[in-house]
Amino acid sequence: MAKIMVVNCGSSSLKFQLFEMDNEEVITSGIVERIGYEDAIFTIKYNGKKETKTLSVPTHNEAVALLLDNLLDKHIVESLDEIKGIGHRVVQGGSYFDSSVRIDDDVKAKIEELIPLAPLHNQAHLIGINACMKAMPEAGETATFDTAFHQTMPAKNYIYPIPYEYYTDHKIRKYGAHGTSHYYVSQRTIEYLGHPEHSNVIVCHLGAGASLCAVKDGKSYNTSMGLTPLAGVMMSTRCGDIDASVIDYLDENLHMSIKDITNMLNKKSGLLGVSGVSGDMRDVKAAADEGNERAKLAIDIFIRRVADYIGKYFVQLGKVDAISFTAGIGENAPWVRKLILEAVGQALGIVIDDDANENGKGERLISAPESKVKVYVIPTNEELVIARDAKKILNLIG
């Protein structure tokens, strides 16, 4: 039996899932949070149980050791040799990678080279990769890149209209993100459509981070995030698209440093910045229901920005067969889906099945039979994509 671990290292966290690939069952999952602190939090789920404890976890090396010790102590595995592969999520693969790859020194060097494009993420991924290699040297390791799916975009959709040498000499272009999620959800959508020869799908990955993707014949045609995940639609704490001259204005007139401006645009804007309440859509909705006008405005802007991108991608694709919603807000907030679909409904001929939208569970169609565009809710499963890729790349059978 081939067991594969999927690892997602953030700057101060390590998320994991262990799969039994014979039946793609999740044996255990969990997270180490607050790595680098004395009060780090370790959570593990297995055999229908959930355990949490607080302890010191100085680095990702200790986080990996903590995870592996628990796998053995709880007899989730009897030996680490049972884990034949480790699949790592990597945010930024630049133009180097259009698919998942086996990790070697060259791959690690490229991930390191791309740290300036994702400083918080790629550095952490490398630390996690090296920690896992040290702890389990016999297991094969693979990398699945958030940017890989978007490498099929045509140049007209990823080149910025700035002097061309910034692209050729400094790799400044649109890369996108959430590619693994967009791939999984678009493929499931195409399955629901009956595997037509040609298909046009718009995936709305709406969570704390949010992006949309226009998928043409199963390949990414355009996506809303850019050089970094700051671009595109309004998000939890990110501003999304904004006039670049705002940065110069803040620098010249408010005497803010570029670092402070970037921090503000990434961590203090979006739903949080407009509402003044929270970056969590649930909190913003509660405040709006109590009459908070800024919270109402934050919701209105979010809906408007997502609807605008759906309209933009409808025009670029020429027609749309299906729109699919995924991620935290996309999967769990029927009222958000309804407002977005109402905003584009008249133009695109979309009719919602209110009962399916509000009361249904899991993967499902939420548009009415007379709707000109089918609309689905499809929970994303990036970890399964990573595990499947690792199994294929490492040639693990049984």
Side-chain angles (χ1 to χ4, degrees):
M1 295 186 292
K3 292 183 175 65
I4 291 177
M5 179 82 75
V6 174
V7 175
N8 179 1
C9 285
S11 58
S12 61
S13 66
L14 185 155
K15 298 178 184 177
F16 62 89
Q17 287 192 14
L18 180 64
F19 287 85
E20 172 52 69
M21 292 308 293
D22 283 359
N23 55 10
E24 297 185 341
E25 175 191 1
V26 177
I27 303 169
T28 185
S29 65
I31 184 171
V32 185
E33 302 173 89
R34 293 180 57 81
I35 296 172
Y37 294 87
E38 292 294 320
D39 57 346
I41 303 168
F42 175 62
T43 302
I44 187 168
K45 300 176 183 177
Y46 68 103
N47 294 336
K49 297 183 288 185
K50 177 181 177 180
E51 296 181 8
T52 299
K53 58 183 176 182
T54 301
L55 70 170
S56 174
V57 183
T59 72
H60 284 76
N61 289 305
E62 285 80 9
V64 170
L66 176 65
L67 163 60
L68 299 182
D69 287 346
N70 272 267
L71 294 182
L72 294 169
D73 292 345
K74 300 180 187 306
H75 299 285
I76 297 168
V77 298
E78 297 304 321
S79 167
L80 294 180
D81 291 339
E82 294 177 32
I83 302 174
K84 302 300 184 183
I86 305 170
H88 295 268
R89 178 221 180 193
V90 180
V91 165
Q92 181 57 261
S95 301
Y96 291 123
F97 305 102
D98 59 6
S99 62
S100 300
V101 296
R102 186 164 189 154
I103 298 173
D104 57 19
D105 288 342
D106 180 64
V107 170
K108 288 201 290 183
K110 288 183 168 64
I111 294 172
E112 183 174 13
E113 177 189 331
L114 295 166
I115 286 174
L117 296 180
L120 294 180
H121 294 93
N122 271 36
Q123 181 65 57
H125 299 324
L126 274 177
I127 294 171
I129 288 168
N130 289 326
C132 288
M133 284 184 164
K134 180 179 179 181
M136 290 183 286
E138 299 304 316
E141 306 216 21
T142 62
T144 297
F145 301 89
D146 278 2
T147 51
F149 181 58
H150 301 305
Q151 286 301 298
T152 55
M153 289 190 296
K156 63 184 178 182
N157 289 342
Y158 69 74
I159 295 292
Y160 290 125
I162 58 177
Y164 195 69
E165 58 266 25
Y166 289 108
Y167 164 62
T168 56
D169 298 349
H170 303 286
K171 302 182 177 66
I172 296 175
R173 52 158 285 185
K174 177 191 287 191
Y175 290 104
H178 296 143
T180 309
S181 175
H182 286 304
Y183 167 77
Y184 176 84
V185 174
S186 62
Q187 290 300 307
R188 290 293 295 148
T189 304
I190 291 169
E191 289 178 29
Y192 276 111
L193 294 174
H195 295 286
E197 181 180 358
H198 298 291
S199 60
N200 292 323
V201 173
I202 297 174
V203 178
C204 303
H205 178 111
L206 306 179
S211 68
L212 280 77
C213 186
V215 183
K216 191 175 187 67
D217 296 336
K219 297 180 179 180
S220 176
Y221 183 73
N222 207 348
T223 192
S224 58
M225 285 182 169
L227 175 72
T228 74
L230 183 58
V233 298
M234 175 189 194
M235 298 171 236
S236 173
T237 62
R238 299 181 191 132
C239 61
D241 293 340
I242 192 170
D243 183 346
S245 63
V246 169
I247 296 172
D248 182 67
Y249 183 91
L250 294 172
D251 175 32
E252 289 290 329
N253 295 280
L254 277 69
H255 309 296
M256 293 175 66
S257 69
I258 294 298
K259 183 176 181 180
D260 287 341
I261 294 169
T262 302
N263 183 67
M264 178 271 289
L265 296 177
N266 273 287
K267 298 181 179 181
K268 299 178 181 179
S269 300
L271 292 172
L272 173 62
V274 176
S275 73
V277 173
S278 172
D280 190 310
M281 182 63 86
R282 293 165 294 189
D283 297 335
V284 178
K285 176 65 160 59
D289 289 344
E290 293 174 358
N292 186 311
E293 293 300 324
R294 282 178 56 182
K296 293 178 184 178
L297 177 60
I299 293 170
D300 288 345
I301 296 173
F302 181 86
I303 300 301
R304 178 74 274 152
R305 292 296 183 93
V306 175
D308 286 349
Y309 263 96
I310 291 174
K312 178 191 295 188
Y313 289 162
F314 184 93
V315 171
Q316 290 183 15
L317 292 170
K319 74 180 190 73
V320 174
D321 300 301
I323 298 170
S324 289
F325 288 88
T326 194
I329 297 171
E331 295 170 25
N332 301 308
W335 66 273
V336 172
R337 294 193 297 264
K338 182 177 177 65
L339 289 174
I340 292 170
L341 293 170
E342 286 178 345
V344 299
Q346 184 174 357
L348 306 188
I350 294 173
V351 182
I352 309 168
D353 180 333
D354 285 326
D355 182 61
N357 180 48
E358 294 174 13
N359 302 315
K361 302 294 182 183
E363 289 189 351
R364 64 194 186 277
L365 179 72
I366 63 168
S367 54
E370 65 269 27
S371 181
K372 293 182 180 179
V373 177
K374 293 183 182 298
V375 183
Y376 296 93
V377 175
I378 299 181
T380 192
N381 197 336
E382 297 160 287
E383 291 80 11
L384 181 57
V385 173
I386 295 170
R388 285 173 174 171
D389 283 358
K391 181 180 180 181
K392 180 179 179 181
I393 292 166
L394 300 173
N395 195 28
L396 299 175
I397 307 298

